[in-house]
Every structure is written in C-alpha cells, then in structure tokens.
Amino acid sequence: MTKGFPHWQQTPLYDHHSLLRARIGDVEGWKLPVAYGSQIEEHHTVREDAGMFDMSHMCVVDLHGPDVRMVLGRLLANDIGKLKTPGKALYSCMLNMSGGVIDDLIVYYLAEQHFRAVLNARMAAVDIEWIRAKIVEAKGQVTVVPRRQDWVTEEVEPLAVIAVQGPKAREKVFRAIPAARRAEKLKPFNSTIVHDPEFGELMVARTGKTGEDGFELLLLARHAGRIWEMLRSAGIDPVGHEAWDTLRLEAGVHRNGKDMDHHTSPLDAGLGWSVDLDSDRDFFGKSAVCARRQTQQFVGLALEGSAAVPPAHSTVTDEGGAVIGKVTSATYSPTLRIAIALARVAPEITIGSHVNVQVYRNKIAARVVRTPFVRSGS
C-alpha cells in the first residue's frame, strides 16, 4: 500500500490516475481520483460534452441458479417480475426487516438463471453477507459470485467499471470501441453484453447517476487500462469523484449513507416509486414499510442568493421558526451557481414554500423545489 493510504484499496486504473497527477482521496475506502484539475471544469465537461469516471470500487455480483428469480423477489423491494427481456435493468432498494434501506442497487436480467447486481462499494460486504444468509434461509439454489478484485476466486475474472457520461458520451464510446455499436439502439436502463474479440466480455449498460446520457461499461479488469486510454484518445476526459457528487446531486440522485440508510424507510427517502406495495408479492421489510408508512417527504432545496453549502443534518425550519426537517446532502451547483440540498421535511410542506436552512451560525433562505435540479445539461 502507498504510504499515507494504509487501509485503502486501489482499482486496476490507479496507475493511470497517478500518471495524470490526479488528486487521490478516500472514496468509500478506495484510492480514487477526487479531481484531476478543476472540479468545476470537470463538472461542466460532463454536462456539455463527455467525461468518464473510474467506478471500479462498485461491486459487481453475478447470481446464478434455478431459484435466482425467487430469491431476488424476496430480497428486492421493487418488482423483479418487470425483468423479462435480457439486458433489462431495474433500480431497487434492499431492505432490512425493520424496513430500512440496507443498500440501493441496480440489477440486470441476463438470463432466466443469471442476474447481475451492482452494489455500492461501502456496503458490498454487508450486502453479500445478507444475500447469502437469505439464500440459506430460503433453501434456494443460487450461487453468488462477486466480480470485484478483492472478492474474486481463481475461477472467476474480476471486472472493472468505467462510467462515460454526457451528451456526447455515446458517440465517443462508439468511436473508441467499435464493438460497442451493438448498444446503439439501447433504450435507457437496458444493457447488452458484447463479446469483443480483443477484450472478451464487455457489458454496455445505458445507465448512470449524473442526469446525463451515456454508458456504464463493465469489462474485464485486465483490459481496463487499454480501454481507458482508448476512451481518452476518443476525446473523453477523466473526471473525479468530487464532480460525480455535484452531478448526481444536481440530478437528484440519492447516495446511500447520506440520503438514506438502514434506519430510513424508502418512503421517507422519496423512493416510494421503487417499492412494490401493490402486488401480493412479499419481500424482506415489506410488512415493516407498510406499518411505518410515510412520515416525511424528500425534496430539493434551492438556497436563495447564497453559495454557502449546509452540512448534512442541518436543520430546516419554516418561516415561523418551527423545525420541519433536516438536510441529507448538499453541494454548490456549478450549473445553477447556487447552493442546493436534498432534505427530508414534513409531509405538509408544499413545493414552492419558503424555508430557512441553518448553515453553521446563519439562517439561509431557501425554496422547496422538485428534483432533479438539473438534467440533460439544463
């Protein structure tokens, strides 16, 4: 391990970041670039052109077996029955028995006995332990195969993940990797696996968390460096994780551990749309979610005339001074040029209401807005 980073892991692309003199920081326990230069410029690159992120700290997990659909139907709050076409993706929360969010994830249907999930880096170990325990409880025939480098066995190759996002992302990916043109007609939240003669397995998924179009590329880790440089040669600039955070927040995308956690109901986190409460299907945490119901709503806050960013858990008050909620995450928006925040507030607060946010010793006026703040460059 590099001196100064005693417990952090590094991705297959670490040397490429170092050669570019990226500022390396701790991202979910991994040594990853937080910025290569100006965070603001990197942010605008994704909004206006195309940028790429090393997302190899995310944990790809393949699930195989005759009972995989049954098991995922119990593990996921969203309806796995929606996945019928190979390559189709589904966003879902995985809940604990008290109805709190263990993790939010994307799962892909590859074949009837083969699904693929992408887990958040920080929660990977917890998620895998939970999944395996529930498979044992259900006496299901499912094999869980993690594909991240710190989990793989000799029989399985690790995967790296590169996200390419922005209005010009797709055309530049096709220029860099001709085989990826198989994904040209993919609709959002769909994927395809290309068996490229040069790079082997390459999954091209039209997903991402920046509010822009683009792909997430899941590829064999041993080819990650070459593909990274091919993407750079096609005019795709590397972008650090500080810009990823401002982009996802402008897009109103949740971040596990900030906007929800194992104590938070998905209904209070604004994720009710991803929870299947209408069907007879039972899933872990369903009865608890039904019993708790919704006690808060999830909204955006646009801080008026201020670039002061409120810390997480900052108090939100109404115009009369009564506490109505708390900030979950916030940032300065390079696109809007104001501070913005995501917050959980009382359900009676209406969109357009004027509130105040406690930013250290100051109360800053804010307006309650719908999210996303910014999507597709505007």
Side-chain angles (χ1 to χ4, degrees):
M1 287 291 184
T2 304
K3 185 177 180 181
F5 302 91
H7 304 297
W8 302 357
Q9 302 187 70
Q10 61 189 52
T11 75
L13 291 166
Y14 177 78
D15 289 342
H16 293 263
H17 307 317
S18 298
L19 287 171
L20 292 172
R21 298 185 177 180
R23 179 159 53 89
I24 301 296
D26 177 4
V27 179
E28 310 264 331
W30 289 73
K31 291 187 286 187
L32 282 165
V34 294
Y36 295 86
S38 165
Q39 174 193 347
I40 301 295
E41 290 178 7
E42 291 172 15
H43 179 106
H44 290 314
T45 292
V46 176
R47 286 277 179 252
E48 298 166 8
D49 194 306
M52 61 180 177
F53 306 83
D54 180 4
M55 305 299 291
S56 303
H57 61 310
M58 304 291 280
C59 190
V60 180
V61 176
D62 285 336
L63 299 106
H64 304 267
D67 297 324
V68 64
R69 185 179 286 275
M70 177 272 289
V71 168
L72 286 174
R74 294 281 284 147
L75 283 166
L76 301 182
N78 208 342
D79 182 8
I80 198 72
K82 297 175 184 177
L83 299 184
K84 298 176 181 178
T85 305
K88 183 67 177 174
L90 180 76
Y91 172 88
S92 182
C93 292
M94 188 163 59
L95 309 181
N96 57 29
M97 299 309 292
S98 60
V101 179
I102 298 173
D103 200 3
D104 67 325
L105 54 91
I106 293 178
V107 62
Y108 299 89
Y109 171 55
L110 303 184
E112 192 54 33
Q113 294 191 23
H114 184 192
F115 288 72
R116 173 171 286 175
V118 181
L119 313 176
N120 284 298
R122 184 178 61 88
M123 295 304 298
V126 173
D127 290 353
I128 292 170
E129 181 181 359
W130 177 262
I131 291 168
R132 285 175 168 164
K134 295 307 176 186
I135 290 171
V136 171
E137 284 183 21
K139 298 181 180 179
Q141 296 182 52
V142 180
T143 303
V144 179
V145 184
R147 301 291 299 274
R148 196 172 67 181
Q149 64 185 30
D150 56 325
W151 280 88
V152 295
T153 61
E154 293 181 359
E155 295 79 24
V156 180
E157 282 206 66
L159 297 178
V161 183
I162 301 173
V164 187
Q165 304 280 287
K168 297 182 180 179
R170 297 175 70 213
E171 67 179 74
K172 290 189 174 184
V173 167
F174 297 149
R175 187 189 310 162
I177 310 171
R181 282 198 175 274
R182 271 192 55 188
E184 191 165 10
K185 295 183 179 180
L186 272 186
K187 294 181 179 179
F189 254 68
N190 281 269
S191 68
T192 187
I193 292 182
V194 177
H195 293 285
D196 184 89
E198 186 176 4
F199 299 114
E201 178 185 351
L202 173 65
M203 181 173 174
V204 184
R206 198 170 171 196
T207 51
K209 294 188 175 183
T210 63
E212 297 296 332
D213 200 359
F215 294 127
E216 291 180 305
L217 307 175
L218 285 66
L219 50 121
L220 295 175
R222 59 190 162 99
H223 297 308
R226 287 185 61 201
I227 290 178
W228 180 265
E229 293 304 328
M230 290 169 65
L231 294 168
R232 281 188 66 208
S233 295
I236 303 171
D237 291 334
V239 179
H241 281 261
E242 285 182 344
W244 180 88
D245 201 46
T246 57
L247 289 158
R248 72 92 192 168
L249 223 155
E250 284 187 349
V253 173
H254 296 63
R255 185 169 180 176
N256 187 275
K258 287 193 172 184
D259 304 306
M260 71 285 203
D261 57 29
H262 63 281
H263 296 297
T264 311
S265 164
L267 305 185
D268 292 341
L271 295 172
W273 60 270
S274 70
V275 180
D276 173 26
L277 296 179
D278 296 327
S279 72
D280 294 332
R281 180 182 65 96
D282 195 15
F283 55 85
F284 299 117
K286 181 177 183 178
S287 59
V289 170
C290 291
R292 291 168 67 170
R293 285 299 175 180
Q294 184 176 351
T295 60
Q296 296 176 301
Q297 62 172 320
F298 198 79
V299 299
L301 300 177
L303 278 70
E304 299 176 341
S306 175
V309 176
H313 310 299
S314 294
T315 300
V316 183
T317 58
D318 63 18
E319 292 185 292
V323 175
I324 57 169
K326 288 189 176 182
V327 167
T328 58
S329 58
T331 192
Y332 172 76
S333 165
T335 305
L336 301 177
R337 298 183 180 180
I338 58 171
I340 59 174
L342 300 176
R344 289 195 295 269
V345 300
E348 65 270 15
I349 303 303
T350 57
I351 300 298
S353 298
H354 290 273
V355 297
N356 293 303
V357 181
Q358 190 73 38
V359 183
Y360 300 107
R361 295 183 179 182
N362 300 314
K363 285 188 176 181
I364 306 296
R367 185 165 50 90
V368 179
V369 299
R370 298 186 192 279
T371 58
F373 299 92
V374 177
R375 188 173 289 272
S376 300
S378 61

